[in-house]
Amino acid sequence: MTTALTVRTEELSVRFAGAPALDRLDLRLAPGKIHGLLGRNGSGKSTLAATLAGFRRPDEGRVLIEGGDLGTAQEPYENAVVTSRVCLIRESGDLVEAVPVKQAISLAAALRPYWDADVAGALLDRFEIPLNKKIQKLSRGKKSALGVVLGLAARAPLTIFDESYLGMDVPSRNLFYDALLADYTEVPRTILLSTHLVSEVSALLEEVVILDNGRLVTQSPVDALRGRGASIVGPAAAVDEFTAGFAVLAEERLGGTKSATILGDLDPALLGQATAAGLEVGPVGLQDLFVHLTAPTGARS
Amino acid sequence: MVFDDRSPIYLQIAEQIKTDIVTGALAEDEQVMSTNQYAAFYRINPATAAKGFAQLVDEGVLYKRRGIGMFVAPNARDLLRTGRRDSFFADVVDPMIREAKAIGIPLKDILQHIRSYGDA
């Protein structure tokens, strides 16, 4: 039985003091997949995560969550039926700091309809989180790890991790990635991982949403983005002629030589054409593509 | 194995398994890891792993036994070696000759070097 939820946003806008944090966003998160939410700091990732989880009311447009045992589409804001099935873990933790870890665990167990105590116990052991310590006494790394445990053990049909693992060191983050994949394999659900650690996380993802300045840059299967960028290097005039029909993400010039990063699929005919024009064609990695797609300025179209 | 993010991971998975078959690291009729085991081991999305394996089933390199798992096809090694032989000159020899010409190594020196290996 799958309980994974589908998420849609329609013309979703959120403004802070008049300035748009999210700007008429239309996207759809397919059920049962691991989605990445990528963007630079301030791109609107956390605002989107909070709005999807019903923590924040949209200023315009709406969020619709449907599927699983939820049936028809519903908006999450002030809707307990939806929010009990959605788990958002933020780096801040949203936890009562003055209580011991075990109390936070029993509170989550009481509130979360799909809570799995065995998963929680095993993960608390693996991350070596002391049960009797007050949360405010935990290190930043252990606090982040506690958030991860709460997020995974909740087994919510829509689970959102908003940079919640940034406080963890590399071995702990690897533990998180392993635990996430193992538990997702056992109970497939819709997962959204917001991050700017693109190269570290990208292999875990099936789909990516890239935000920039509150707008959707692209939504795509992540494997389709790998290899979609190309760098074209050669005599400036030839580069300009060849790249005229493509979205050019970045350009650099050194004397008469020019290097352009383009977005687009190069079929063998085009590759032959480039080689015949004396151009060098190279692949562009996902991390570089992400940097170009969200660059503060640039010649992108 | 480490995946790079410059080409689709599912293609890299398929290539790696093919190489293991060509070199004999994976024997014919040997069971391969399940997609979930593979995903956990290499820390990648299970759907990506499944896509790589599905491609190999389509190409006749792997076959499925219902309820048991996936296995290397009995003729997979021959199939792959034939394919790689066809592209050997274009993929391996031609770039070598281009490089030799660029840096000024005469072809007769290359031939002499190859002959020193005897007739393998």
Side-chain angles (χ1 to χ4, degrees):
Chain A
M1 185 197 75
T2 173
T3 58
L5 297 176
T6 304
V7 181
R8 274 187 292 142
T9 69
E10 294 175 346
E11 296 267 305
L12 176 65
S13 292
V14 173
R15 280 185 288 272
F16 294 131
L22 297 177
D23 194 5
R24 289 165 293 153
L25 214 57
D26 281 309
L27 52 89
R28 179 179 182 275
L29 304 182
K33 294 186 177 186
I34 304 179
H35 302 263
L37 177 55
L38 311 182
R40 304 171 70 236
N41 292 331
S43 58
K45 300 191 298 290
S46 294
T47 307
L48 177 60
T51 313
L52 296 184
F55 284 27
R56 178 177 290 284
R57 186 204 296 268
D59 288 306
E60 274 159 40
R62 54 183 186 164
V63 174
L64 290 171
I65 296 181
E66 65 190 317
D69 56 358
L70 211 52
T72 55
Q74 301 189 35
E75 295 189 60
Y77 186 73
E78 292 192 336
N79 182 339
V81 177
V82 179
T83 53
S84 66
R85 288 161 173 78
V86 179
C87 182
L88 167 63
I89 301 294
R90 306 197 269 200
E91 221 230 326
S92 59
D94 298 313
L95 296 165
V96 181
E97 295 266 313
V99 303
V101 168
K102 60 181 176 193
Q103 207 169 314
I105 297 289
S106 49
L107 181 66
L111 292 176
R112 292 286 169 194
Y114 301 93
W115 182 261
D116 190 302
D118 293 339
V119 169
L123 288 174
L124 287 167
D125 276 355
R126 272 172 77 185
F127 285 109
E128 299 175 329
I129 302 170
L131 281 175
N132 292 316
K133 221 173 183 176
K134 283 187 179 169
I135 290 171
Q136 64 203 11
K137 300 276 186 197
L138 295 178
S139 68
R140 183 178 177 211
K142 293 289 180 214
K143 243 187 247 185
S144 292
L146 176 59
V148 160
V149 173
L150 293 171
L152 288 175
R155 288 195 159 170
L158 171 61
T159 302
I160 305 171
F161 291 103
D162 181 14
E163 308 267 19
S164 36
Y165 38 91
L166 279 190
M168 294 155 74
D169 56 17
V170 174
S172 306
R173 289 210 296 273
N174 284 338
L175 266 182
F176 165 56
Y177 302 143
D178 289 343
L180 174 78
L181 281 180
D183 208 58
Y184 166 74
T185 303
E186 196 169 326
V187 183
R189 55 233 207 226
T190 311
I191 292 173
L192 184 63
L193 286 179
S194 136
T195 190
H196 58 256
L197 298 175
V198 180
S199 53
E200 191 174 297
V201 169
S202 71
L204 303 176
L205 309 173
E206 188 171 351
E207 302 255 340
V208 281
V209 172
I210 300 182
L211 288 187
D212 190 37
N213 277 320
R215 293 207 184 98
L216 183 65
V217 176
T218 187
Q219 182 177 18
S220 158
V222 64
D223 242 5
L225 275 185
R226 292 191 182 91
R228 266 211 76 198
S231 74
I232 314 289
V233 184
V239 170
D240 284 341
E241 193 182 333
F242 184 78
T243 57
F246 289 97
V248 177
L249 301 175
E251 293 181 309
E252 258 183 285
R253 257 191 103 134
L254 188 65
T257 302
K258 187 167 178 179
S259 159
T261 303
I262 61 165
L263 188 64
D265 300 306
L266 293 179
D267 56 33
L270 278 167
L271 280 175
Q273 208 179 310
T275 316
L279 299 172
E280 267 181 62
V281 180
V284 173
L286 193 64
Q287 173 84 47
D288 287 335
L289 202 59
F290 167 70
V291 168
H292 290 314
L293 285 171
T294 59
T297 55
R300 65 173 194 264
S301 50
Chain B
M1 101 183 258
V2 177
F3 300 101
D4 75 55
D5 68 2
R6 292 147 71 102
S7 67
I9 288 182
Y10 82 95
L11 290 178
Q12 297 179 53
I13 292 168
E15 277 309 307
Q16 179 58 43
I17 290 172
K18 284 178 183 175
T19 298
D20 284 349
I21 294 170
V22 169
T23 60
L26 269 175
E28 293 178 345
D29 282 315
E30 186 178 336
Q31 184 165 14
V32 297
M33 277 194 265
S34 75
T35 54
N36 284 343
Q37 285 171 326
Y38 197 92
F41 189 81
Y42 290 109
R43 206 174 273 143
I44 59 172
N45 190 289
T48 309
K51 198 173 169 192
F53 281 58
Q55 161 123 353
L56 293 173
V57 171
D58 283 349
E59 291 178 15
V61 174
L62 299 181
Y63 68 95
K64 277 186 212 171
R65 275 192 210 156
R66 201 174 291 276
I68 304 176
M70 273 188 248
F71 294 80
V72 178
N75 57 346
R77 188 153 187 243
D78 276 347
L79 190 81
L80 293 171
R81 283 169 56 128
T82 305
R84 291 206 185 181
R85 264 187 227 130
D86 289 346
S87 60
F88 175 74
F89 285 93
D91 287 355
V92 180
V93 180
D94 292 350
M96 179 189 74
I97 292 172
R98 276 199 295 276
E99 170 75 2
K101 279 187 175 160
I103 62 179
I105 295 178
L107 290 187
K108 68 171 170 39
D109 287 9
I110 299 175
L111 286 173
Q112 197 178 341
H113 183 77
I114 291 171
R115 285 205 190 94
S116 73
Y117 280 83
D119 195 14

